[in-house]
Amino acid sequence: MAIIVDENTKLIVQGITGKEGRFHTKLMLDYGTKIVAGVTPGKGGTDVFGIPVYDSVEEAKNAHPEANTSIIFVPARFAADAVYEAIDAGIKTIVVITEHIPVHDAMKFVNYGKSKGVTIIGPNCPGVITPGKAKVGIMPGHIFTPGHVGIVSRSGTLTYEIAYAMTKAGIGQSTAVGIGGDPVIGTSFIEALQMFEEDPETEAIVMVGEIGGDMEERAAKMIEEGKITKPAVAFIAGRTAPPGKRMGHAGAIIMMGTGTAEGKIKALESVGVKVAKTPMEIPDLLKQVLKK
Amino acid sequence: MAIIVDENTKLIVQGITGKEGRFHTKLMLDYGTKIVAGVTPGKGGTDVFGIPVYDSVEEAKNAHPEANTSIIFVPARFAADAVYEAIDAGIKTIVVITEHIPVHDAMKFVNYGKSKGVTIIGPNCPGVITPGKAKVGIMPGHIFTPGHVGIVSRSGTLTYEIAYAMTKAGIGQSTAVGIGGDPVIGTSFIEALQMFEEDPETEAIVMVGEIGGDMEERAAKMIEEGKITKPAVAFIAGRTAPPGKRMGHAGAIIMMGTGTAEGKIKALESVGVKVAKTPMEIPDLLKQVLKK
Amino acid sequence: MKLFEFEAKEILKKHGVKVPRSVLLEKGEKNPLEKIKAAGLEPPIVVKSQVLVAGRGKAGGIKIAKTWEEAEKLIAELFEKPIKGLKPRYLLIEEAIPHEKELYASIIIDRSERKPVILASQFGGMDIEQIAKEKPESIVRMYVDPFLGLKAYQARKIGKMIGLKGKILNSFASFLIGLYDVFMEYDADLAESNPLAVTEDGVIPLDARLIIDDNSIYKHPDISERNLEDTGEYTEWEIKARKMGLAFVELDGDIGIIGNGAGLTMTTMDLVYLYGGKPANFLDIGGGASKELVKTAVKFLIDLPRTKKIFMNIFGGITRCDEVARGIVAALEELGGSPKPLVIRLSGTNEEEGRKILQENGIDAYTDPIEAVQKVVSL
Amino acid sequence: MKLFEFEAKEILKKHGVKVPRSVLLEKGEKNPLEKIKAAGLEPPIVVKSQVLVAGRGKAGGIKIAKTWEEAEKLIAELFEKPIKGLKPRYLLIEEAIPHEKELYASIIIDRSERKPVILASQFGGMDIEQIAKEKPESIVRMYVDPFLGLKAYQARKIGKMIGLKGKILNSFASFLIGLYDVFMEYDADLAESNPLAVTEDGVIPLDARLIIDDNSIYKHPDISERNLEDTGEYTEWEIKARKMGLAFVELDGDIGIIGNGAGLTMTTMDLVYLYGGKPANFLDIGGGASKELVKTAVKFLIDLPRTKKIFMNIFGGITRCDEVARGIVAALEELGGSPKPLVIRLSGTNEEEGRKILQENGIDAYTDPIEAVQKVVSL
């Protein structure tokens, strides 16, 4: 099972001939991800590491009807169009790596995707990995290991740090989802939590949050309402971030006094979620909740 | 039964305080139509012929939850907004009388209505009458009489002429639908035909067409494909209309050689539909097909 | 409302579409060549008569000048040359665009789908009717969701379907998105480029047409109203009628037609023809016509030179027969009786009262339209 | 990117929103009063300092002149008066608008709903945080479907919910639709009017704010880039950093922070604080940083006066530890050794190689971030 991607994932890489697309195609192939086709308008007929390239997602999908997932490395100006193209071609899971996509563009394609029943991850995200099965993203594969703890995270490198600490402590991951650091993203914290709740292979969940927005507070509410019953632990970055300043991620900003780390930590602790003070504490907290 | 409107119709009149809205509210009330509310922004709290007026469809619907149908007399510039308002308030049948609505506006609200499962009649139409039960439109009620022949028409006065001839010949109508003379309308010829096909009270159908578009040709195709099995007769106006000129209706124009009366008549006759040479022949043709 | 080529191209340009470099000359321009030079253009240049009729090229309204002398001569010539009866007020002077191929692209609203539809063909230069006749399989159609708009990938797909690739394909896709944006923003009935030239650098519209929905003109204050005389769409009497607020179309027969409602009026024309007459016109007084409007309509048809007799077919629904009768009486009073025979059919709302008003003024009216039409044809 | 008030109002005006009559004065204007008279304005007029900081009014940046003498004096005064440290380049001179009431209206994108949300309150004039605190029940929210847009009936509903009616309600609805159109067309993060004045004739924005999504600026060639110095958002060193392409935020501590990835960098700040230190900044070198970028970042933090020591926390994912090490070595070579203590944690991709490069140059690196942070705090 796992969530979003697994051994049944048949991937199309949009923007496969670009520098980033090519580089990560190689790394995903090395990891064992089943990539069936690449798309770059105007480059149809060529290939990248043996993967056939098409001019459009529709053509790729016609030639490889088993394709069910797409990862997008297309530059920001063309990324929204690439998402619509994938949706309209019937792709049901789309991972948008591209950063700097205008928020209005993301808002529109996320709404459109929802109306078509499509799962969009990102934009501006590291992607999704189900260790040992499929890596659809740019995370370093070797730091993850198969297991039963789901990770949902707003931050890339921080996820790697935590996953690595877990792996070293002998705690594997069912799936790790980097949902992205932009203000508007396709799959929110609580939607990813819901997926983990429904996944039989996931026994506990690590939530990696940061300042900005109210996704963590909403997650706490879901737990309070009994919608999430699996044990969860959390880490929230940005306790020392000043208000009104964007901390790297477009979405990481404390505005109008909301979105502080303190508020998020308080909300989570009030519903019984243990919040780690450092990323290194996560494995210990997980051992505590998994013991119960 | 009948189609679109009947004894269960509970009507909201949008634009009730305008000259036309007020006038036809009176005539519809006189006919026996159940009007539950009127709407004119800014005139909430007043009344028209005893019908309470509200500032919005939502308020009208809250006060009269039984309301299920709306008729729109709002001026062209504000009519599209009135349609969206009715759709969003949960009204499922909307009759748009207003003429001169920009085609792009109509295109958009018709698409939106379809996505919400709403039946829109018009714009630029005389409305719908189910004789003896409800009149939701501007047609003179007294020329219609209850019966079992459905009329679907692109033209107002011509419908009256035909209905009157039928009434005088003792042939009553199940429902008469004026679908409107604009290029883009909510319910097309073939959609109205389909409704009559499914209506147990309708035994035969009169199609009143005119030059422009290909709705009549599509109707012929439906009959050929066996989708319409009830006997149908037709009259097509505009045999003598020159190409490239709009004949009063925005939609009545022969363009690029398509949409001629000859083409439509030929298409209908080729699938066995009797096409009257004059409106006065319709009752005779009906008697022939009903006898069978 | 049809826009002039130069207006359509100006709008396209504002929406990021590359169009040929050009300069507009108005009739009476003192130093046309100076103005052209100042715009940075030099021969070969194209001199294009700005008239709103179709088939301008074939009618000699578009010429290429290879030298300044030729340009001067052609400019003088085209300002004076009527194209299908219309002399231009403007000439558009454009750089000549060397090109390999001509495409066709247009956008209209599809009535059945209720969506914008893009039509494209690799055979531009001839009109769409001709393409549809000679190369029907070359015409590519794509519907667009009006809320989502035309996506780049869709535009590329259309381009690929008409055989484009590489740089030309991308240029065509950008062009189509610009054309679509204009189509939607301006509530267009038609946005068209034909021919759309394929050059080494990409596509560029040699001609551009834009027809704006008359009902939406109020939304577009940047578009100036047409003089009806300039459109080439209307006869002299149609222009008169429009200025009087009458829905009137001139035909080539001699029996004047007045009806209420477009369908009934067309049917009245058809009946006249069916019984051996020839209608002179279409004139719809619409629903709920006032006495004044009826009077205006009757007088107008009596004035219309081509009418020998007049047939008025009224079925009163919203329109009240008494009001119509009063209008007829008023018209005849002003004229001191009708110089042309007038046959009237009056039926429906307030029929009796209307008939009475007519009778009091010595005018008969039929109830049955067939009897009435037989009468008018026989006169 | 924040727009100046006069830019925001200019855009609103183009979209049919009525704004106060005004004239813009640039610093050095010779005859300001003449220019104001030429624009048809006369006292009482409002003189408004065009600076991009919040709380302009309270800081004395908005004044009313009742006479020409007063106007002259205030104009000279405000051009020289720094508002929160910024002197204006422009003053906006507006007609004074007598009004009965001040409203609040804004549009932002709601992250959870992923839709534009309209916020309105009948208590304008104070900022939204204050309204949220003092009159939370007065704030009305409405989500808008981004494909369908804001309908007039929805705009009227919002107006009614904040207590408006009649002519004022319709005027408010039109204003809101104009504001929404601008919000969508300009990819705005925020479109706001506060206060929005209620006059006898309708509503009119006394102030207007527009913040454009930085990632969408390329779509809007009509918007001119801000000088970072004019925005009031950045410190001197933040401006330097942005010009060098560094994602840097200045804080008030003394331990310089470099991390890769925003989350990890924030976490590094948090760890420093947790172990008793005070971070001097946030500096994220992002994913896959090059040797050059690392070098630039290290040198920048050494230059930054407020740092006493520097902590670099790298977890190599896409970022390669060897590349980072090379960047550090290059920086120190250029500087001839670090004048400030540098503590490095290096883990992940190519960790061994990176560590080796550092060791060859006599630099130690930690594997464990906790040990590293304890070290840097203890120095």
Side-chain angles (χ1 to χ4, degrees), chain B residues 41 55 58-59 81 84-85 88 112, chain D residues 148 151-154 156-157 160 170:
Chain B
D55 281 333
E58 189 183 19
E59 288 169 40
D81 189 65
Y84 287 106
E85 183 176 0
D88 289 347
Y112 184 58
Chain D
L148 295 173
K151 304 298 168 200
Y153 85 87
Q154 295 171 315
R156 284 196 305 270
K157 183 175 175 182
K160 219 175 161 183
N170 286 331

CSV table of all heavy atoms in Angstrom, one decimal, chain B residues 41 55 58-59 81 84-85 88 112, chain D residues 148 151-154 156-157 160 170:
chain,number,residue,atom,x,y,z
B,41,PRO,N,-32.7,43.7,-6.3
B,41,PRO,CA,-31.8,44.3,-5.3
B,41,PRO,C,-32.1,45.7,-4.9
B,41,PRO,O,-32.4,46.5,-5.8
B,41,PRO,CB,-30.4,44.2,-6.0
B,41,PRO,CG,-30.6,43.2,-7.1
B,41,PRO,CD,-32.0,43.2,-7.5
B,55,ASP,N,-34.2,41.2,-1.5
B,55,ASP,CA,-33.0,41.8,-2.1
B,55,ASP,C,-32.2,40.8,-2.9
B,55,ASP,O,-31.3,41.2,-3.8
B,55,ASP,CB,-32.1,42.4,-1.0
B,55,ASP,CG,-32.6,43.8,-0.6
B,55,ASP,OD1,-33.3,44.5,-1.4
B,55,ASP,OD2,-32.3,44.1,0.6
B,58,GLU,N,-31.1,34.4,-2.7
B,58,GLU,CA,-30.8,33.6,-1.5
B,58,GLU,C,-31.8,33.9,-0.4
B,58,GLU,O,-32.4,33.0,0.3
B,58,GLU,CB,-29.4,33.9,-1.0
B,58,GLU,CG,-28.9,33.0,0.1
B,58,GLU,CD,-27.5,33.4,0.6
B,58,GLU,OE1,-27.1,34.5,0.4
B,58,GLU,OE2,-26.9,32.5,1.2
B,59,GLU,N,-32.1,35.2,-0.2
B,59,GLU,CA,-33.1,35.6,0.9
B,59,GLU,C,-34.5,35.1,0.5
B,59,GLU,O,-35.2,34.7,1.4
B,59,GLU,CB,-33.1,37.1,1.0
B,59,GLU,CG,-31.8,37.7,1.7
B,59,GLU,CD,-31.7,39.2,1.6
B,59,GLU,OE1,-32.7,39.9,1.8
B,59,GLU,OE2,-30.5,39.7,1.4
B,81,ASP,N,-25.6,38.0,-14.2
B,81,ASP,CA,-25.4,38.0,-12.7
B,81,ASP,C,-26.7,37.4,-12.1
B,81,ASP,O,-26.6,36.6,-11.1
B,81,ASP,CB,-25.2,39.4,-12.2
B,81,ASP,CG,-24.8,39.3,-10.7
B,81,ASP,OD1,-23.7,38.7,-10.5
B,81,ASP,OD2,-25.5,39.8,-9.9
B,84,TYR,N,-26.5,33.6,-12.4
B,84,TYR,CA,-25.6,33.0,-11.5
B,84,TYR,C,-26.2,33.0,-10.1
B,84,TYR,O,-26.0,32.0,-9.3
B,84,TYR,CB,-24.2,33.7,-11.4
B,84,TYR,CG,-23.4,33.5,-12.7
B,84,TYR,CD1,-23.2,34.5,-13.6
B,84,TYR,CD2,-22.7,32.3,-12.9
B,84,TYR,CE1,-22.5,34.3,-14.8
B,84,TYR,CE2,-22.0,32.1,-14.0
B,84,TYR,CZ,-21.8,33.1,-14.9
B,84,TYR,OH,-21.1,32.8,-16.0
B,85,GLU,N,-26.8,34.1,-9.7
B,85,GLU,CA,-27.4,34.2,-8.4
B,85,GLU,C,-28.4,33.1,-8.2
B,85,GLU,O,-28.5,32.4,-7.1
B,85,GLU,CB,-28.1,35.6,-8.3
B,85,GLU,CG,-28.6,35.8,-6.9
B,85,GLU,CD,-29.2,37.2,-6.7
B,85,GLU,OE1,-29.1,38.0,-7.6
B,85,GLU,OE2,-29.6,37.5,-5.6
B,88,ASP,N,-26.7,29.6,-7.9
B,88,ASP,CA,-26.0,29.5,-6.6
B,88,ASP,C,-26.9,29.4,-5.5
B,88,ASP,O,-26.6,28.8,-4.4
B,88,ASP,CB,-25.0,30.6,-6.4
B,88,ASP,CG,-23.8,30.5,-7.4
B,88,ASP,OD1,-23.6,29.4,-8.0
B,88,ASP,OD2,-23.0,31.5,-7.5
B,112,TYR,N,-22.1,27.0,-16.9
B,112,TYR,CA,-22.1,26.9,-15.4
B,112,TYR,C,-23.3,26.1,-15.0
B,112,TYR,O,-23.3,25.3,-14.1
B,112,TYR,CB,-22.0,28.3,-14.8
B,112,TYR,CG,-21.9,28.3,-13.3
B,112,TYR,CD1,-20.9,27.6,-12.7
B,112,TYR,CD2,-22.9,28.9,-12.5
B,112,TYR,CE1,-20.8,27.6,-11.3
B,112,TYR,CE2,-22.8,28.9,-11.2
B,112,TYR,CZ,-21.7,28.2,-10.5
B,112,TYR,OH,-21.7,28.2,-9.2
D,148,LEU,N,-14.8,31.4,-11.8
D,148,LEU,CA,-16.0,32.1,-12.1
D,148,LEU,C,-15.9,33.6,-11.8
D,148,LEU,O,-16.6,34.4,-12.4
D,148,LEU,CB,-17.2,31.5,-11.3
D,148,LEU,CG,-17.5,30.1,-11.6
D,148,LEU,CD1,-18.5,29.5,-10.6
D,148,LEU,CD2,-18.1,30.0,-13.0
D,151,LYS,N,-19.2,37.6,-8.5
D,151,LYS,CA,-20.4,38.0,-9.1
D,151,LYS,C,-21.0,39.2,-8.3
D,151,LYS,O,-20.7,39.4,-7.1
D,151,LYS,CB,-21.4,36.9,-9.1
D,151,LYS,CG,-21.0,35.6,-9.7
D,151,LYS,CD,-20.7,35.8,-11.2
D,151,LYS,CE,-20.0,34.7,-11.8
D,151,LYS,NZ,-19.3,35.0,-13.0
D,152,ALA,N,-21.7,40.0,-9.1
D,152,ALA,CA,-22.3,41.2,-8.4
D,152,ALA,C,-23.2,40.9,-7.2
D,152,ALA,O,-23.2,41.6,-6.2
D,152,ALA,CB,-23.1,42.0,-9.5
D,153,TYR,N,-23.9,39.8,-7.4
D,153,TYR,CA,-24.8,39.5,-6.3
D,153,TYR,C,-24.0,39.1,-5.0
D,153,TYR,O,-24.5,39.4,-3.9
D,153,TYR,CB,-25.8,38.3,-6.7
D,153,TYR,CG,-25.3,36.9,-6.5
D,153,TYR,CD1,-25.4,36.3,-5.3
D,153,TYR,CD2,-24.6,36.3,-7.5
D,153,TYR,CE1,-25.0,35.0,-5.1
D,153,TYR,CE2,-24.2,35.0,-7.4
D,153,TYR,CZ,-24.3,34.4,-6.2
D,153,TYR,OH,-23.9,33.1,-6.0
D,154,GLN,N,-22.8,38.5,-5.2
D,154,GLN,CA,-22.0,38.2,-4.0
D,154,GLN,C,-21.5,39.4,-3.4
D,154,GLN,O,-21.4,39.6,-2.2
D,154,GLN,CB,-20.8,37.3,-4.5
D,154,GLN,CG,-21.3,35.9,-5.0
D,154,GLN,CD,-20.2,35.1,-5.6
D,154,GLN,OE1,-19.4,35.6,-6.4
D,154,GLN,NE2,-20.1,33.8,-5.3
D,156,ARG,N,-22.8,42.3,-3.5
D,156,ARG,CA,-23.9,43.0,-2.8
D,156,ARG,C,-24.1,42.3,-1.4
D,156,ARG,O,-24.4,43.0,-0.4
D,156,ARG,CB,-25.2,43.0,-3.6
D,156,ARG,CG,-25.2,44.0,-4.8
D,156,ARG,CD,-26.6,44.2,-5.3
D,156,ARG,NE,-27.3,42.9,-5.7
D,156,ARG,CZ,-27.2,42.4,-6.9
D,156,ARG,NH1,-26.6,43.0,-7.9
D,156,ARG,NH2,-27.8,41.2,-7.1
D,157,LYS,N,-24.0,41.0,-1.4
D,157,LYS,CA,-24.2,40.3,-0.2
D,157,LYS,C,-23.2,40.7,0.9
D,157,LYS,O,-23.6,40.9,2.0
D,157,LYS,CB,-24.1,38.8,-0.5
D,157,LYS,CG,-24.4,37.9,0.8
D,157,LYS,CD,-24.4,36.4,0.4
D,157,LYS,CE,-24.6,35.6,1.7
D,157,LYS,NZ,-24.6,34.2,1.4
D,160,LYS,N,-24.2,44.0,2.2
D,160,LYS,CA,-25.3,44.0,3.1
D,160,LYS,C,-24.9,43.4,4.4
D,160,LYS,O,-25.4,43.9,5.5
D,160,LYS,CB,-26.4,43.0,2.5
D,160,LYS,CG,-27.8,43.6,2.7
D,160,LYS,CD,-28.9,42.8,2.0
D,160,LYS,CE,-30.2,43.1,2.7
D,160,LYS,NZ,-31.3,42.3,2.2
D,170,ASN,N,-24.8,49.5,-3.7
D,170,ASN,CA,-24.4,49.2,-5.1
D,170,ASN,C,-23.1,49.8,-5.5
D,170,ASN,O,-22.3,49.1,-6.2
D,170,ASN,CB,-25.5,49.8,-6.0
D,170,ASN,CG,-26.8,49.0,-6.0
D,170,ASN,OD1,-26.7,47.8,-5.8
D,170,ASN,ND2,-27.9,49.7,-6.3
